[in-house]
Amino acid sequence: MRVLDKLKFSTKINLGSLLIVTLIALPLAFVVSRMAAEALIDETKKRGMVISENLASRAADSMLAMDLLRLKNMVDEYKGVQDIVYAFITDRDGNVMVHTFVQGFPVELLAANEAADGIPANVRLLFTGRDYIYDFAAPIMIVGARFGTARVGLSRAQTQNSVNRLVFFIFTLSGAALVPAILFSSLFARQVTRRIGLLREHAEEVVKGNLDMRTGPVVAANCWEIMNCDLTHCPAYGDTRRRCWYLAGTLCPDCSDAEDGDKEESCKDCPVYNRNKGDEIQDLAETFDVMALSLKTHLEELKQAEGVLTRQEQLLRTILDATPDYVCLIGDNLKYLSVNKAFADYVGRTAHDIEGLSEFDLFPEAEAKITREEDLRVVRTGLPFDREKRARLGQRDMWLHVVRAPVFDKDGRVMGLLRTARDVTQLKLFQEQLIQSQKMESVGKLAGGVAHEINTPLGVILGYAQLLQEEVDKDSQIYEDLKIMEKQAKVCRKIVADLLGFSRQTDSAKLEMCFNNSLMEAISLVRHTFGLDKVYIMTDLDERMPIIYGDPEKLKQVWINLLTNARDAMSDSGGLLLVRSRLDSPAQKVTAWFADTGSGIDSDNLQKIFDPFFTTKPVGQGTGLGLSVSFGIIEDHDGSITAQSPVPKGFFNQDAVEAPGRGPGTVFVVDLPLDHAETLESDHVLDKGRK
């Protein structure tokens, strides 16, 4: 009886203990099952967020390049992967670009969830009528702007089935293995959470721009070590960040020719794949590493290309800004795309302000209309066009040679035109001067012939006028008339002599002479006569007495012409005339200045005073040949003669210039070389030959 009672008591105790354990285990199992279920659902959500964010990060580069095939391959990778029901990508306007649906895309799914800026991924639980689906929407961000959305759907049913099985397993073994199960579940959840959390942290670093993070584990042996190969030129050789089944063009004999996604399928029997292949999280981490490395490579290539383009743009800009031509690039809409510095200065604006403007924004309407028609002609015909036109820059008239050339795109269509304008004003002036020189050459030949024919009868008239003066009474009117005839005949002879001197070049009798003495001889000849006209000559000659090689008589003719012109430029009240000479030994030249306080020369006439027959004197008081002959004589001596008006400061004091009847004045500058060694040597050779 006692044994039975003890047995019953033991049984009751055992039952009580079991009941107590059961009462303790069941709530604990319930709590643990709930925790495990929630953890699994939470991890499922985290996994879905990681997958969607990973898809969004991987799709950014392809969306930027509009590579739809690559986007399609990306979403197709998720077909049949565990509980992933679907995956698709939309652009910024909500249009579906690629998806994994076989029987058509359900349009109701677009409005069910959307990504928000500033949130990595947005998750919502959707009911399809048969099943619940976790929908994850991750924004595709490129340089801080959202370009689209990556959507991934995970089935809740599979997750719920896993939860039910886990609850059943926990309730079944809770009595016998409650503590180990709890420990195992905790360790498992922690491990999974740690790895996914690490992957998510690395994803966030990639989003921040840190592409050097490594998520996948370091393998114990690499492919070249396992296969014991020495193919150093293989793409996988030495690459420790990417697995060989992620690389195209590997040289292993066991590898097939499959590329990209098909290659991993062909490597299932490879010892390298079987040894280094991990679970889904490791596969996801390694895929993430490959994506980050590929993105880094593409970014580096883009930066290099950007650097090259920037350098080329700077070089082209430097070349265009250095040219004095007016260069501009015009689009097919006839608006300015780019201009160089010369064109910007020409229109008085900056190059940045001109971009996007049209001709009517920069030029008068009439000129802009003509320019637009010519530009439109090049755009329509695709043929170059050039012409010369007259333009005005400030107060200066100018000639421009405008060239228009069409710019074609890769398909041969005209996408704009390049217009350049070159200032050819000086060329036009040279052409005009050449034509004028040819005219003057013809006039000179004609004048020489006419002067030669007139000279003989003019000498007869002058001779008979002088003879008749001896035959008539000196107090008679006839004598006075004959004197007038003689005077005017001499004037005509002087004009004829100037014409002959202008029309033909005579040989110069050059010899060593003192430059100052030549000046003083001319001054002494006219000083008295000038003094009667209240014109006073001042001298400031170099004391070093420079010696030159020239023709004394012809140079004296030049000095007298310059002195006479200075006197004629002064009013009846007279004025001052300064003759200055200076020796410039380093430059091997001597310079003479003839400065006066006369009326001066207008800027328009200053460039014409050395032209033959040009004169500002009244009719009958000048032939316009004096300065032209003087210019030829100085040029024959390898020198130069120029004029400035008004007289620069330093020649006269202010009181002398501002005296009544005195003007701004003019200064003529004559430069003659000192170096005549070659000429002397030539004369020496000629003299030696004569001997």
Side-chain angles (χ1 to χ4, degrees):
M1 181 64 68
R2 290 182 178 178
V3 174
L4 183 59
D5 292 337
K6 288 181 179 180
L7 181 59
K8 290 181 179 178
F9 180 74
S10 176
T11 302
K12 290 180 181 178
I13 293 176
N14 290 335
L15 290 175
S17 300
L18 181 60
L19 181 59
I20 294 173
V21 171
T22 302
L23 292 176
I24 296 174
L26 287 178
L28 185 60
F30 178 78
V31 173
V32 171
S33 62
R34 290 280 299 183
M35 292 175 59
E38 290 177 0
L40 187 58
I41 292 174
D42 188 52
E43 292 303 325
T44 300
K45 291 181 179 180
K46 291 182 179 180
R47 176 171 172 269
M49 294 180 69
V50 170
I51 292 174
S52 61
E53 292 172 6
N54 179 44
L55 178 59
S57 300
R58 294 174 60 195
D61 190 25
S62 300
M63 286 195 67
L64 188 61
M66 291 301 295
D67 192 350
L68 297 180
L69 179 59
R70 190 172 180 183
L71 289 174
K72 179 63 176 173
N73 291 335
M74 288 182 187
V75 299
D76 287 342
E77 291 177 2
Y78 297 98
K79 284 184 178 179
V81 176
Q82 293 185 355
D83 53 347
I84 296 179
V85 180
Y86 58 82
F88 64 94
I89 295 175
T90 63
D91 59 14
R92 70 177 69 184
D93 297 325
N95 300 316
V96 179
M97 301 180 69
V98 293
H99 61 82
T100 58
F101 293 96
V102 179
Q103 298 181 353
F105 183 84
V107 295
E108 299 85 358
L109 193 58
L110 288 175
N113 192 8
E114 61 180 4
D117 294 341
I119 300 176
N122 191 28
V123 57
R124 287 192 178 181
L125 182 62
L126 308 178
F127 181 65
T128 64
R130 293 181 302 174
D131 190 11
Y132 284 92
I133 296 176
Y134 288 110
D135 185 276
F136 299 87
I140 301 175
M141 306 298 292
I142 301 177
V143 196
R146 185 164 70 89
F147 269 59
T149 305
R151 296 275 295 275
V152 177
L154 272 68
S155 174
R156 183 185 174 186
Q158 296 185 17
T159 304
Q160 190 63 41
N161 291 335
S162 299
V163 170
N164 294 336
R165 288 194 300 269
L166 180 61
V167 172
F168 177 78
F169 179 77
I170 291 174
F171 276 93
T172 302
L173 300 179
S174 61
L178 183 61
V179 175
I182 294 175
L183 293 176
F184 177 77
S185 299
S186 299
L187 291 175
F188 176 77
R190 182 177 299 176
Q191 181 67 16
V192 173
T193 304
R194 184 189 64 82
R195 295 175 65 186
I196 295 180
L198 181 63
L199 182 61
R200 183 170 181 174
E201 290 177 1
H202 289 183
E204 292 176 353
E205 290 295 325
V206 170
V207 172
K208 294 177 182 178
N210 184 6
L211 301 178
D212 295 324
M213 298 291 295
R214 179 165 184 166
T215 309
V218 179
V219 298
N222 296 289
C223 67
W224 61 90
E225 297 171 340
I226 297 174
M227 302 300 294
N228 194 23
C229 71
D230 56 352
L231 301 175
T232 57
H233 54 289
C234 176
Y237 194 93
D239 192 340
T240 59
R241 293 195 60 179
R242 295 177 292 182
R243 305 292 176 255
C244 58
W245 55 85
Y246 291 122
L247 298 175
T250 53
L251 302 179
C252 182
D254 296 333
C255 293
S256 66
D257 297 332
E259 301 290 339
D260 298 334
D262 296 335
K263 189 170 184 208
E264 185 175 358
E265 185 68 22
S266 67
C267 293
K268 287 186 175 181
D269 298 330
C270 178
V272 178
Y273 182 85
N274 294 327
R275 182 171 177 179
N276 292 335
K277 180 67 175 178
D279 56 10
E280 288 80 0
I281 297 179
Q282 179 179 332
D283 183 53
L284 183 60
E286 292 174 350
T287 304
F288 188 84
D289 288 342
V290 172
M291 180 215 43
L293 189 59
S294 299
L295 182 59
K296 180 181 179 181
T297 302
H298 291 326
L299 289 177
E300 290 176 350
E301 292 175 352
L302 288 175
K303 288 181 179 179
Q304 292 177 357
E306 183 182 7
V308 172
L309 290 176
T310 301
R311 289 193 296 270
Q312 291 179 349
E313 182 181 1
Q314 291 175 348
L315 178 61
L316 181 60
R317 173 60 60 183
T318 302
I319 294 174
L320 291 178
D321 288 344
T323 178
D325 295 347
Y326 310 135
V327 184
C328 55
L329 181 63
I330 302 173
D332 54 358
N333 58 353
L334 301 183
K335 291 188 176 181
Y336 289 95
L337 300 178
S338 179
V339 299
N340 70 337
K341 185 177 183 300
F343 184 87
D345 295 340
Y346 173 69
V347 299
R349 299 195 183 186
T350 63
H352 179 73
D353 294 338
I354 297 175
E355 295 176 2
L357 300 180
S358 65
E359 296 293 335
F360 294 92
D361 299 322
L362 301 177
F363 302 103
E365 184 177 358
E367 181 181 354
K369 185 177 181 181
I370 297 174
T371 303
R372 185 182 181 89
E373 291 176 354
E374 294 174 349
D375 292 344
L376 190 60
R377 170 184 174 182
V378 175
V379 173
R380 288 177 175 175
T381 63
L383 299 175
F385 174 72
D386 69 292
R387 76 177 185 93
E388 291 183 354
K389 71 173 186 177
R390 186 186 294 273
R392 188 171 184 85
L393 181 61
Q395 301 297 324
R396 183 172 69 93
D397 289 331
M398 57 190 302
W399 280 91
L400 296 177
H401 181 215
V402 183
V403 178
R404 293 174 172 85
V407 179
F408 301 95
D409 59 11
K410 62 179 181 180
D411 298 326
R413 294 175 298 185
V414 178
M415 57 180 293
L417 69 138
L418 180 67
R419 189 175 71 203
T420 63
R422 175 168 295 181
D423 186 356
V424 294
T425 307
Q426 291 297 327
L427 180 60
K428 282 286 186 181
L429 292 177
F430 292 151
Q431 291 176 349
E432 293 175 359
Q433 290 177 1
L434 178 60
I435 295 173
Q436 182 67 16
S437 298
Q438 293 174 347
K439 290 181 179 179
M440 296 312 302
E441 182 180 359
S442 301
V443 171
K445 292 180 180 179
L446 177 62
V450 172
H452 181 74
E453 296 297 329
I454 293 176
N455 204 28
T456 300
L458 188 61
V460 173
I461 293 172
L462 180 60
Y464 276 100
Q466 292 173 344
L467 289 175
L468 289 174
Q469 291 179 28
E470 298 177 357
E471 301 295 332
V472 298
D473 187 6
K474 293 183 179 182
D475 296 330
S476 64
Q477 182 62 38
I478 296 176
Y479 181 82
E480 294 297 330
D481 294 340
L482 290 174
K483 292 291 289 184
I484 293 174
M485 291 176 59
E486 179 186 11
K487 180 180 179 181
Q488 296 302 321
K490 290 181 178 179
V491 171
C492 292
R493 186 173 62 181
K494 176 65 170 58
I495 294 174
V496 170
D498 289 341
L499 285 173
L500 289 174
F502 169 73
S503 63
R504 64 188 181 189
Q505 295 291 335
T506 57
D507 295 334
S508 300
K510 296 181 181 179
L511 48 85
E512 287 188 350
M513 54 175 287
C514 178
F515 187 75
N516 287 348
N517 289 345
S518 176
L519 293 174
M520 289 306 301
E521 288 179 6
I523 292 172
S524 61
L525 291 175
V526 300
R527 187 187 294 273
H528 178 69
T529 305
F530 283 18
L532 297 177
D533 295 332
K534 300 179 182 179
V535 176
Y536 303 101
I537 302 177
M538 302 181 297
T539 58
D540 180 16
L541 305 181
D542 197 316
E543 297 179 354
R544 291 174 288 182
M545 302 291 289
I547 302 299
I548 64 170
Y549 189 75
D551 188 330
E553 295 301 323
K554 287 190 174 183
L555 290 178
K556 188 185 299 183
Q557 180 182 354
V558 174
W559 312 146
I560 292 176
N561 281 337
L562 295 178
L563 293 170
T564 303
N565 285 342
R567 187 222 26 213
D568 295 341
M570 299 182 191
S571 62
D572 296 338
S573 60
L576 300 178
L577 200 163
L578 173 64
V579 179
R580 177 185 294 172
S581 69
R582 290 291 184 268
L583 174 64
D584 189 354
S585 298
Q588 285 293 292
K589 70 176 183 178
V590 62
T591 304
W593 290 267
F594 295 82
D596 62 69
T597 59
S599 58
I601 304 175
D602 294 339
S603 57
D604 295 338
N605 296 330
L606 202 58
Q607 304 297 327
K608 306 175 184 178
I609 57 175
F610 296 107
D611 294 343
F613 304 107
F614 177 81
T615 180
T616 58
K617 297 178 181 179
V619 178
Q621 295 186 14
T623 62
L625 293 174
L627 287 179
S628 178
V629 172
S630 299
F631 183 87
I633 293 173
I634 297 301
E635 190 177 51
D636 182 57
H637 283 73
D638 298 326
S640 64
I641 178 172
T642 58
Q644 300 178 38
S645 183
V647 177
K649 294 182 180 180
F651 286 92
F652 303 104
N653 57 48
Q654 197 68 19
D655 295 336
V657 175
E658 294 179 354
R662 296 179 183 176
T666 306
V667 58
F668 283 85
V669 184
V670 179
D671 291 324
L672 291 176
L674 294 176
D675 187 8
H676 53 274
E678 295 182 0
T679 308
L680 291 175
E681 184 177 351
S682 302
D683 294 343
H684 178 70
V685 172
L686 291 173
D687 293 340
K688 186 176 180 180
R690 294 189 187 97
K691 292 178 180 180

